[in-house]
Amino acid sequence: MVELFTPTGYGPAAMQSVAPELDYLYGWSLNKKLALECSTGAIFGQPGAPGVTQYYQSAVFTRTWREQHIVTIAEAFALFGYGSSPGAVLPSLDSGVLWRPGYNFQVDWRVGMGLNQTASPFFTGGGVSFRY
């Protein structure tokens, strides 16, 4: 997957230049309900540090329930070269659940923790997705 971050934000955390991202997505279906999915990638440039490349690695174990309407996840991931610190490593774990009440709508939520002093000790987030 190829993405391009553009300088359209406002404030100190906004991108000041164009930053391309390359992400290799791959996975395995272990059976009809279990899967292992991974992501390996890099973002070339960051807010406040356009010369720093951030690398990342993620592994997600998923379990599907109730005819694919509910999916639980467990994820381990790490960011390398975060922010303006080229040598920083941020390993983290999180888990969550997503609910698909219909083919074109999804709600998800996750909670996690960092595994070292540099990573955030606690984080949570959610989202709503729909296809039209």
Side-chain angles (χ1 to χ4, degrees):
M1 180 173 73
V2 177
E3 283 187 89
L4 195 62
F5 296 96
T6 58
T8 56
Y10 176 76
M15 296 294 292
Q16 302 300 318
S17 61
V18 174
E21 176 182 9
L22 296 175
D23 192 1
Y24 181 61
L25 305 166
Y26 49 102
W28 299 267
S29 293
L30 306 174
N31 61 34
K32 286 185 177 184
K33 297 183 182 223
L34 300 173
L36 176 63
E37 300 160 357
C38 301
S39 171
T40 303
I43 301 172
F44 303 94
Q46 297 175 52
V52 175
T53 298
Q54 176 179 290
Y55 300 95
Y56 53 86
Q57 177 62 55
S58 171
V60 179
F61 183 73
T62 63
R63 166 68 160 96
T64 303
W65 308 82
R66 302 193 45 85
E67 304 296 325
Q68 298 190 354
H69 290 288
I70 298 174
V71 178
T72 53
I73 65 163
E75 177 184 30
F77 67 93
L79 307 175
F80 306 93
Y82 183 76
S84 60
S85 304
V89 177
L90 283 76
S92 300
L93 295 174
D94 69 354
S95 64
V97 62
L98 66 87
W99 173 52
R100 296 181 187 125
Y103 182 73
N104 294 321
F105 185 73
Q106 172 180 305
V107 178
D108 59 77
W109 174 74
R110 71 179 184 143
V111 61
M113 64 182 203
L115 299 178
N116 67 9
Q117 296 292 343
T118 310
S120 178
F122 173 80
F123 57 89
T124 187
V128 175
S129 303
F130 63 92
R131 179 177 19 207
Y132 57 93

